Every structure is written in structure tokens, then in C-alpha cells.
Amino acid sequence: MKLIKKLFRLNKKEEEEYSGNFIVATLNDKVMPIDRGEIYEDPLNEFLQANEIGEVTGGGTMQLESGELEYCDVEIQLNSDDINENHIKSIIEKLEELGAPKGSKLTIEKTEQKIEFGKKEGLGIYLDGINLSDEVYKNSDSEALAIEIRRLANIKDNVLRYWQGNTETGLYFYGESFEKINESIADFVKTHPECENCRIERVA
């Protein structure tokens, strides 16, 4: 599917108000904008300023044509006019500590260098939104379903990552291993009414 837009980014005029080196962390995480701020932007900004590296100047969320979230990014302004490799390394380590999934990348705008990073793996479960019985839809509770999946997979992250489409609903989970998440929920998915006809995909 085609990528169509980014949300909640600095516009061009606002970006021009800043000077210095910029880097962009593109995070392979289907997280909503408000959660992106709490999970990544705020703690990263605190870290950057405490270590006199720079500051977070904005962020964005990319959507597919369907409306499903594809990824998000965080824009960082560095204090130094030179690219400090140790600073770049520490930023990557901090983002991985905060939960950045595999498939993420850091772009240094000055040199156009791209560095891949990320440790967590992701599983997406897409629930059938049109072919199940009326009774199932009447009693459905996607948040409760997500809570149970996180419990079974021993995922400590309590953020609800989801997408509501016209024909299906996507729920997303990130942990140390896609295979382990998938194995831990296999029996549950086979028997839970809301999971009938669902499909599971690796998203990171």
C-alpha cells in the first residue's frame, strides 16, 4: 500500500527556525502519536538535555492509504556542529532501551547516513471485522483481548497499539521474539471467538 501522510510534524517554517545538525529516528513501531511522545520523545529529550547532546524538536506518524499506522519518527537537533559518533551511539542505545523495534533507522541529515537499529520484534494480529456473528461483535472488547494477549506473552508494555479499519482491526505487540509471542498465544487465538478468521503477521 502507498504511504500517504505524516501527522503531528513540524512544518517547514517551524523547522527553519532551528539551526544545527538534525537527525531523524524512524521507529518501526505502530504507536499512536500521544503514546509516541510518552514512550520515546519525552524520555529521549530528557536524556539528550541531561547529557548536553541536543533536544527533540518534533515527531511524526506515517499512515498507509488504509489509515493503518506504518511507522513513526522523532526529530532531534544536535548541539554540536560536528557529528559525534559517541553521541549517535548513545542515542541509538537510549532508543533501544525505550523499546525501539527491529527495522528502525537513524538518518543523519548532514551526511545522509542511515544506521539501522532496534531490538524488539513485533507481532500484528488482524481481527475479522465483517464475517463473524453479530453476537461476537456485540460482546467484543479489543482492549480486553489485547490485555490478555500481553499477559500470555509476558509483555510488560501496557500501551494499546491498534488500528480500526473498514474490514478488520489490527492489534500490535512487541517483545523479545516474534516466535515466542506467537507460540504463547496460539491456543488462545484458536479458541477465542473474536480471533476466528484472524491473520497474524510479523511487523518487526
Side-chain angles (χ1 to χ4, degrees), residues 6-189:
K6 278 195 175 182
L7 307 175
F8 308 106
R9 295 195 62 161
L10 293 175
N11 59 42
K12 185 174 181 60
K13 182 178 180 181
E14 290 172 323
E15 288 179 343
E16 289 174 349
E17 294 177 0
Y18 296 95
S19 60
N21 282 322
F22 283 87
I23 60 176
V24 178
T26 301
L27 302 162
N28 187 27
D29 189 337
K30 297 178 184 295
V31 66
M32 300 294 284
I34 188 170
D35 294 318
R36 181 193 71 226
E38 294 180 2
I39 295 171
Y40 295 111
E41 292 178 19
D42 295 344
L44 178 61
N45 190 54
E46 182 179 346
F47 169 80
L48 293 171
Q49 295 197 24
N51 291 277
E52 299 182 344
I53 295 173
E55 64 179 329
V56 171
T57 55
T61 300
M62 184 68 81
Q63 290 180 298
L64 293 165
E65 189 173 6
S66 64
E68 182 179 7
L69 302 185
E70 177 70 358
Y71 60 80
C72 63
D73 61 28
V74 176
E75 298 172 340
I76 302 161
Q77 181 189 17
L78 302 176
N79 290 338
S80 174
D81 290 333
D82 298 320
I83 302 300
N84 186 312
E85 291 185 4
N86 289 330
H87 288 171
I88 298 300
K89 181 180 178 181
S90 66
I91 290 170
I92 289 174
E93 289 175 348
K94 184 61 178 180
L95 287 168
E96 289 180 336
E97 176 189 317
L98 295 172
K102 291 180 178 179
S104 299
K105 65 181 178 181
L106 197 74
T107 302
I108 303 172
E109 294 191 350
K110 184 176 183 178
T111 63
E112 297 185 351
Q113 180 184 5
K114 299 182 187 298
I115 305 169
E116 295 187 359
F117 69 98
K119 292 185 176 180
K120 288 194 174 181
E121 298 184 355
L123 178 147
I125 178 169
Y126 294 85
L127 307 174
D128 189 337
I130 56 176
N131 297 307
L132 306 185
S133 69
D134 292 339
E135 187 67 19
V136 171
Y137 293 127
K138 180 181 178 180
N139 296 313
S140 67
D141 186 338
S142 296
E143 184 171 2
L145 183 65
I147 290 172
E148 180 61 12
I149 288 176
R150 286 199 297 267
R151 186 190 70 80
L152 292 169
N154 195 30
I155 295 174
K156 305 303 182 183
D157 183 354
N158 292 321
V159 175
L160 177 63
R161 291 170 167 85
Y162 71 97
W163 160 69
Q164 181 71 56
N166 293 327
T167 62
E168 58 184 358
T169 296
L171 298 173
Y172 313 104
F173 306 91
Y174 296 86
E176 300 307 313
S177 164
F178 166 83
E179 286 78 11
K180 287 183 179 179
I181 298 173
N182 197 19
E183 289 173 5
S184 66
I185 67 173
D187 291 339
F188 175 78
V189 169

